Amino acid sequence: GESVGLHLPTLSVQEGDNSIINCAYSNSASDYFIWYKQESGKGPQFIIDIRSNMDKRQGQRVTVLLNKTVKHLSLQIAATQPGDSAVYFCAENMRGGKLIFGQGTELSVKP
Amino acid sequence: EPEVTQTPSHQVTQMGQEVILRCVPISNHLYFYWYRQILGQKVEFLVSFYNNEISEKSEIFDDQFSVERPDGSNFTLKIRSTKLEDSAMYFCASRNNVGEKTQYFGPGTRLLVL
């Protein structure tokens, strides 16, 4: 079946520390993955994406790692800031374009 | 920076009433989507739309739901006879073309069915 799930429902970090949010996916045929950030009352906001022919992609303060062997995806946020507090979803792009979202991890940044 | 917009931001309706949720996708985008998110749950796919027809729909998208692109800019989701369980945030998303897979989401419409 198709499912994308997250290992940790909540994550609390100290401001300035690095954060790592994990995600497991089940569809080995998926070729594209996206991380979204969702703040309270708002829509999902694109953070970073990665294609299945890559194992790492870096953005500004964020890095996504893809391990296709174990079907695992992670989002690393460097020097986490209070503004990073939100729910983070990984999403798997399915054939035809629909996204399958994971349950979400709530990141809480303590000042 | 172009963005997806949605109206209204909040909608309260009585069970059995019809509602129309409106979206204006990013102007040069060709693929359009509706998703919903029940409070505290993950975002769920409802329907995808391309070239003026539905490409794919989920089990949730039953006969009570319909989508339309009435003009060159709007994309609407209609629920003909709302049920209590339709209460959720409804998000519209769009993307450009086959090569660009990133979907950009609107701010959502919070629908409350009483």
Side-chain angles (χ1 to χ4, degrees):
Chain A
E2 30 179 74
S3 69
V4 179
L6 294 170
H7 291 166
L8 298 174
T10 59
L11 178 65
S12 184
V13 300
Q14 205 70 36
E15 180 178 0
D17 288 352
N18 297 334
S19 302
I20 300 176
I21 301 171
N22 296 301
C23 174
Y25 65 94
S26 61
N27 189 340
S28 57
S30 183
D31 63 353
Y32 181 68
F33 304 89
I34 312 167
W35 280 101
Y36 285 95
K37 172 186 180 184
Q38 187 178 29
E39 296 172 292
S40 181
K42 296 184 180 180
Q45 176 188 357
F46 170 82
I47 302 173
I48 192 168
D49 58 3
I50 189 167
R51 295 186 183 274
S52 61
N53 60 355
M54 304 170 68
D55 54 20
K56 181 179 179 179
R57 190 168 188 210
Q58 286 185 292
Q60 186 177 17
R61 282 201 307 119
V62 295
T63 301
V64 55
L65 300 178
L66 175 62
N67 186 330
K68 293 183 289 295
T69 302
V70 295
K71 290 187 279 189
H72 183 267
L73 198 66
S74 69
L75 176 70
Q76 300 178 1
I77 305 173
T80 315
Q81 302 168 0
D84 295 326
S85 294
V87 177
Y88 289 81
F89 293 94
C90 62
E92 183 177 11
N93 186 81
M94 306 297 292
R95 175 177 290 189
K98 75 177 183 183
L99 296 177
I100 301 296
F101 282 80
Q103 289 290 345
T105 291
E106 182 171 7
L107 176 65
S108 175
V109 182
K110 296 176 288 187
Chain B
E1 183 175 324
E3 58 184 18
V4 177
T5 59
Q6 290 185 243
T7 55
S9 58
H10 295 78
Q11 174 97 43
V12 181
T13 190
Q14 295 292 323
M15 189 170 57
Q17 294 296 304
E18 174 183 287
V19 295
I20 298 176
L21 310 183
R22 302 179 191 279
C23 168
V24 179
I26 294 173
S27 63
N28 63 340
H29 284 190
L30 303 175
Y31 296 81
F32 314 113
Y33 305 85
W34 283 100
Y35 293 82
R36 79 171 187 189
Q37 185 179 32
I38 295 172
L39 186 64
Q41 298 186 22
K42 63 182 179 180
V43 178
E44 301 174 287
F45 169 78
L46 290 178
V47 66
S48 58
F49 190 88
Y50 170 72
N51 199 26
N52 282 321
E53 60 183 25
I54 290 174
S55 308
E56 186 176 359
K57 57 185 180 181
S58 72
E59 296 176 348
I60 304 166
F61 195 89
D62 61 22
D63 292 344
Q64 294 301 313
F65 291 85
S66 63
V67 289
E68 191 178 25
R69 188 157 165 81
D71 53 42
S73 60
N74 290 282
F75 180 51
T76 62
L77 174 69
K78 181 192 291 187
I79 309 175
R80 290 190 184 82
S81 178
T82 50
K83 302 186 287 289
L84 295 177
E85 54 265 38
D86 293 329
S87 296
M89 282 288 285
Y90 287 81
F91 295 107
C92 173
S94 69
R95 69 178 174 95
N96 192 352
N97 56 39
V98 174
E100 173 57 69
K101 293 191 177 185
T102 302
Q103 293 180 28
Y104 296 90
F105 283 75
T109 293
R110 182 174 295 282
L111 177 65
L112 178 61
V113 183
L114 302 176

